[in-house]
Amino acid sequence: TPHLSLLDRFIVLAERENLEIVIVLTKIDLDDDNTFEKIKNIYEPCGYKVIGVSNFEKINIDKVKEELKDNTVVFAGPSGVGKSSLLNEIDSNFKLKTGDVSDKIKRGRHTTRHAELFELEFGGLVADTPGFSSLTLDDIEDIELKEYFIEFEEYDDCKFGSKCIHQNEPNCAVKEAVENGEIPKERYESYIQLLNEIRQGKRRY
Ligand SMILES: Nc1nc2c(ncn2[C@@H]2O[C@H](COP(=O)(O)OP(=O)(O)OP(=O)(O)O)[C@@H](O)[C@H]2O)c(=O)[nH]1
Ligand SMILES: [Mg+2]
Ligand SMILES: [Zn+2]
């Protein structure tokens, strides 16, 4: 089951480094209730490219290849989603180790143990990395977080201007955009959750 809060954390950290982001949802052969479409409908309006793949049924492997060609790319995501399996499909020279998902806790087993950069036969470099099951945003300031939710950017006419954190302020353009459906509410809720987390973390020190 996709873990969207974790996805949003990856996005925040990648946006902070000004990286170009492509969201790849794997194992769409298991997607009986069309979760792919639901997630795509959250992230595409924000401006992200969303690709659904299946290594087993060879769906959209070429689309991921296109993103990799002549670029330097890192595969990041939870353990067990099929990052190494996807790389093995993308380049037949790769023989990366893959591992099954535990039956009991339904999580990956952290099969990939280190980050390594590989050359692609069709041009470009790609790093396979170990999967994470959690990510904390320790060194991000509360006022900074909104910059990494790129869909907020165009709503800059809040009453409190650039000081608006889009939480409890009156006449907040971002909150209005959430209310009228221009900003996906899932993303806004995720923003508030991460904001609270950052603030609680800061208070402890
Ligand atoms: N149903 C389904 N299972 C897949 C697919 N691709 C990979 N898997 C399975 O998912 C499990 C995990 O695959 P890995 O490639 O090892 O996952 P990973 O993301 O590299 O995991 P870590 O190295 O632990 O981060 C294996 O049992 C694969 O056989 C797919 O397209 N569909
Ligand atoms: Mg792996
Ligand atoms: Zn605001």
Side-chain angles (χ1 to χ4, degrees):
T1 307
H3 182 348
L4 297 189
S5 172
L6 188 59
L7 173 58
D8 290 331
R9 287 160 205 261
F10 274 111
I11 291 175
V12 164
L13 295 174
E15 286 292 353
R16 194 180 200 213
E17 302 301 325
N18 271 314
L19 301 176
E20 202 179 303
I21 297 167
V22 177
I23 299 170
V24 177
L25 299 167
T26 56
K27 308 192 186 182
I28 57 167
D29 50 284
L30 300 176
D31 185 21
D32 296 330
D33 52 1
N34 224 351
T35 305
F36 172 72
E37 286 299 323
K38 279 175 219 145
I39 298 177
K40 188 173 143 154
N41 289 337
I42 298 171
Y43 290 90
E44 254 186 10
C46 299
Y48 294 112
K49 200 178 277 185
V50 184
I51 305 174
V53 302
S54 168
N55 298 315
F56 286 6
E57 294 179 0
K58 322 272 183 243
I59 299 169
N60 286 338
I61 309 293
D62 283 352
K63 280 198 188 163
V64 180
K65 263 189 179 173
E66 268 168 46
E67 300 297 329
L68 300 186
K69 188 166 168 33
D70 300 327
N71 282 323
T72 302
V73 175
V74 57
F75 271 30
S79 178
V81 295
K83 298 180 295 299
S84 302
S85 306
L86 179 54
L87 282 171
N88 286 340
E89 289 300 324
I90 283 169
D91 188 325
S92 57
N93 299 318
F94 293 168
K95 305 275 184 275
L96 301 170
K97 201 174 163 214
T98 64
D100 62 351
V101 173
S102 111
D103 283 336
K104 255 196 210 143
I105 55 169
K106 304 282 182 205
R107 287 214 200 112
R109 298 182 194 269
H110 299 281
T111 307
T112 303
R113 290 285 175 182
H114 64 281
E116 185 171 350
L117 204 52
F118 300 101
E119 252 175 89
L120 292 155
E121 61 181 351
F122 50 85
L125 291 168
V126 66
D128 192 15
T129 69
F132 294 81
S133 42
S134 67
L135 276 180
T136 52
L137 305 179
D138 291 336
D139 57 343
I140 293 180
E141 300 292 331
D142 54 1
I143 187 71
E144 184 191 352
L145 182 67
K146 61 183 181 178
E147 291 168 37
Y148 311 130
F149 281 73
I150 57 167
E151 67 273 31
F152 296 178
E153 247 163 57
E154 62 183 284
Y155 303 97
D156 51 7
D157 49 348
C158 299
K159 185 179 173 193
F160 293 101
S162 64
K163 288 203 186 72
C164 189
I165 213 154
H166 317 312
Q167 189 176 27
N168 299 317
E169 296 92 337
N171 301 343
C172 169
V174 166
K175 279 197 287 177
E176 273 164 32
V178 175
E179 256 147 54
N180 62 33
E182 287 168 42
I183 290 176
K185 74 170 189 325
E186 292 87 347
R187 284 277 290 173
Y188 180 73
E189 283 164 7
S190 188
Y191 168 73
I192 294 296
Q193 191 202 324
L194 295 180
L195 188 65
N196 287 335
E197 225 177 85
I198 287 170
R199 288 177 158 179
Q200 277 156 15
K202 295 266 142 52
R203 232 174 279 139
R204 250 186 274 131
Y205 302 110

